[in-house]
Amino acid sequence: MSDYAYETDTAPTTGRSQYVTAFFDSRADADAAIDRIVAEGVARDDIRMVEGNDAADAPAAHEDKGFFEALGDFFMPDEDRATYAEGLNRGGYLVSLTTTASNRDRILDILDDEGTVDMDEREESWRAEGWTADSYMEPGAMAGSTGMTGSEPRATGMAEAAPAFTPKGDVVDGTIEVVEEKLRVGKREVDHGRVRVRSYVVETPVEETVTLHDETIHVERNAVDRPLDDSADAFTDRTIEATETAEEAVMSKEARVVEEITLNKDVADRSETVHDTVRHTEVEIDDDRTDRTETTDRTKQKM
């Protein structure tokens, strides 16, 4: 639950957008991530940050469910909302924005680089301490709250929370309100792991053996005693010379491409049927004047 991508289908002219939500332990990390995202061309006004409590003064969850209320308009499941609310209650920072197919991967890289918290691991550690999401989602707690404004939540695509349901009709000024739940189904993209290919330079010592040819000049003087042959040039100046040579090893390097690595995605669509229940109230009218009992079943009325 570190980086969620809540998916929505927008108008054909704009394509599909996704909400991405990340959690940070420090304000500095959250601000650094926002600055880098703005540098990528995202308007600062389109980035939403929720600041948590001072960790030293944070009240217990059962004492203050304000953050759960404040996140009521974020497009996320209640369990995720409870986890983020607990993180804010403990002094964290929540950053969310809308991404597109062209910039989503880059923004996720930025969030990872700046230290976004793995909320799955964090939630697991809290549960080991005895924390449960039920402390926020107990009956009647924060249901149907309004809280903060804005439509950019995190990064999946879950249905929005339904309004609070009251099993029995409340009498208001002589009127019984008939309540009905409606099911909204959305989509949530869950990160199953990312593949990142990074190239870097490694220097490896190598050696080769080569045979080199050397020529060395030696001056030899030998004592002799023999008669001089008749020769006209016996007493003229003469010069002899030889060149001494040695071979040296000469190295050169040639860079060659030996492998290509490419990341590709296989994309497929599948249909899934979801099951849940919705509730509604029915009204039973007892009329003593006519000795009749009338029951209003809204389910039958819709058929």
Side-chain angles (χ1 to χ4, degrees):
M1 214 163 64
S2 54
D3 296 320
Y4 279 109
Y6 296 91
E7 177 179 304
T8 56
D9 292 319
T10 57
T13 55
T14 59
R16 191 175 66 181
S17 63
Q18 292 180 330
Y19 296 124
V20 172
T21 299
F23 193 84
F24 297 89
D25 282 331
S26 73
R27 176 66 180 263
D29 290 343
D31 286 340
I34 291 174
D35 289 342
R36 289 184 58 187
I37 292 172
V38 170
E40 291 292 319
V42 178
R44 189 174 293 271
D45 291 342
D46 292 336
I47 304 173
R48 181 176 176 183
M49 182 170 74
V50 182
E51 183 175 353
N53 282 323
D54 184 337
D57 302 326
H62 65 277
E63 297 174 355
D64 180 10
K65 301 185 181 68
F67 288 118
F68 189 82
E69 245 186 355
L71 300 179
D73 61 335
F74 278 66
F75 201 55
M76 64 177 69
D78 283 347
E79 286 192 4
D80 292 348
R81 183 154 61 110
T83 302
Y84 279 125
E86 179 65 15
L88 293 170
N89 196 52
R90 294 177 183 238
Y93 298 84
L94 184 64
V95 174
S96 66
L97 69 150
T98 303
T99 67
T100 63
S102 61
N103 67 6
R104 177 177 178 271
D105 288 343
R106 177 59 183 154
I107 288 176
L108 290 178
D109 286 338
I110 292 173
L111 294 172
D112 284 342
D113 291 343
E114 296 301 331
T116 181
V117 174
D118 187 330
M119 292 303 284
D120 286 333
E121 293 182 359
R122 187 64 56 85
E123 180 182 0
E124 185 176 342
S125 68
W126 292 339
R127 290 186 182 278
E129 299 172 0
W131 175 86
T132 64
D134 295 339
S135 59
Y136 287 96
M137 297 187 295
E138 58 192 11
M142 307 308 147
S145 59
T146 55
M148 304 170 63
T149 59
S151 59
E152 341 52 81
R154 350 172 28 190
T156 58
M158 292 298 296
E160 297 180 19
F165 184 84
T166 306
K168 60 181 180 179
D170 288 335
V171 178
V172 181
D173 294 334
T175 302
I176 291 183
E177 296 179 341
V178 178
V179 184
E180 181 178 355
E181 283 184 329
K182 292 185 178 180
L183 181 64
R184 300 178 186 176
V185 180
K187 296 180 288 184
R188 182 174 92 166
E189 182 180 280
V190 180
D191 193 343
H192 286 178
R194 305 178 65 197
V195 177
R196 177 181 296 178
V197 179
R198 181 174 66 92
S199 66
Y200 54 94
V201 178
V202 177
E203 293 187 357
T204 304
V206 295
E207 62 180 27
E208 294 284 348
T209 301
V210 60
T211 301
L212 303 176
H213 177 73
D214 295 337
E215 295 181 347
T216 304
I217 297 175
H218 300 282
V219 179
E220 297 182 1
R221 302 183 67 170
N222 299 317
V224 297
D225 185 9
R226 65 172 182 270
L228 180 64
D229 295 336
D230 294 335
S231 176
D233 57 354
F235 292 98
T236 59
D237 295 338
R238 297 180 60 192
T239 301
I240 60 174
E241 66 180 25
T243 301
E244 184 176 283
T245 62
E247 293 180 335
E248 294 180 349
V250 178
M251 294 180 293
S252 64
K253 292 181 283 186
E254 177 187 14
R256 300 184 64 84
V257 179
V258 297
E259 186 179 3
E260 292 181 338
I261 300 176
T262 305
L263 294 181
N264 297 308
K265 287 183 179 180
D266 293 330
V267 180
D269 294 327
R270 56 188 172 86
S271 298
E272 179 177 339
T273 302
V274 296
H275 302 276
D276 206 334
T277 59
V278 294
R279 295 170 292 177
H280 69 276
T281 57
E282 297 179 4
V283 178
E284 183 179 277
I285 304 172
D286 292 325
D287 192 341
D288 293 338
R289 299 169 302 173
T290 59
D291 198 21
R292 291 179 52 195
T293 299
E294 179 181 347
T295 300
T296 303
D297 189 337
R298 293 178 57 82
T299 303
K300 294 180 179 179
Q301 290 178 356
K302 294 180 180 181
M303 298 178 60

